[in-house]
Amino acid sequence: ISITNEENDPAENRSNSFKLKIDNNDSYGGKLRFGYLVSPRTMLYAFAGIDVSRFESKFALAQTGVPEQSVEESHTKVGWMPGIGMETMLTDNLSLRTEGSYTWYNTLGYDATFSFGGDGYTNTNHISDTHKVRRGLFMLDLVYHFNN
């Protein structure tokens, strides 16, 4: 997620910009799947699980003539992950799996205060917001089975 907001004040010859960037680079989880054989080599299944993800947030505020100020935060969130899929055996040891899931995480919030000063004024900005974080995922896997 990346959000940029800019405000210009021509009368004061100033501009402000606010940037928010949220990255999700680490995610770990597990799931249980329950399926039904629709043919001897194909299974349709549903699954449910949890996903633990780390979100890195960076908030930056800049004003004309003043160095940018930024705050970085890290949040770990747990998400609920239901989904559906299908797996078909291509050979005795090789299968093709496709599945889709949608994960709902707890609300991600941030809170930051920035102060700028100069030319006889001080500008303090308090920024606070929350985001409902969701993720949809589609996977296509080629799986090798060692036990056959």
Side-chain angles (χ1 to χ4, degrees):
I1 299 173
S2 185
I3 301 170
T4 301
N5 181 36
E6 293 188 23
E7 298 175 355
N8 293 307
D9 184 356
E12 297 289 328
N13 196 26
R14 284 194 196 109
S15 67
N16 295 322
S17 70
F18 168 73
K19 298 174 189 173
L20 167 63
K21 184 175 181 183
I22 301 174
D23 289 322
N24 172 224
N25 296 323
D26 299 322
S27 181
Y28 306 95
K31 63 187 174 192
L32 294 174
R33 67 180 183 163
F34 305 92
Y36 177 76
L37 285 174
V38 294
S39 77
R41 300 182 70 83
T42 301
M43 179 176 71
L44 293 176
Y45 60 90
F47 61 86
I50 61 167
D51 186 77
V52 180
S53 292
R54 188 173 51 131
F55 294 92
E56 302 290 333
S57 305
K58 181 178 180 180
F59 327 107
L61 189 64
Q63 190 173 66
T64 304
V66 179
E68 180 179 278
Q69 293 184 27
S70 64
V71 174
E72 295 184 26
E73 295 181 358
S74 178
H75 300 276
T76 300
K77 298 293 179 180
V78 176
W80 158 246
M81 177 183 59
I84 57 172
M86 181 176 78
E87 187 165 356
T88 300
M89 295 301 295
L90 301 175
T91 68
D92 287 342
N93 292 86
L94 198 61
S95 69
L96 183 66
R97 179 186 304 161
T98 181
E99 63 183 39
S101 65
Y102 194 79
T103 306
W104 288 268
Y105 294 96
N106 296 330
T107 302
L108 180 64
Y110 61 87
D111 194 21
T113 301
F114 302 95
S115 293
F116 294 99
D119 298 333
Y121 76 96
T122 299
N123 183 8
T124 301
N125 295 288
H126 181 79
I127 301 168
S128 179
D129 202 358
T130 58
H131 296 277
K132 292 181 179 179
V133 182
R134 310 286 185 253
R135 178 176 57 205
L137 182 63
F138 175 79
M139 294 191 325
L140 182 63
D141 301 322
L142 191 60
V143 181
Y144 184 80
H145 299 265
F146 290 96
N147 61 345
N148 288 343

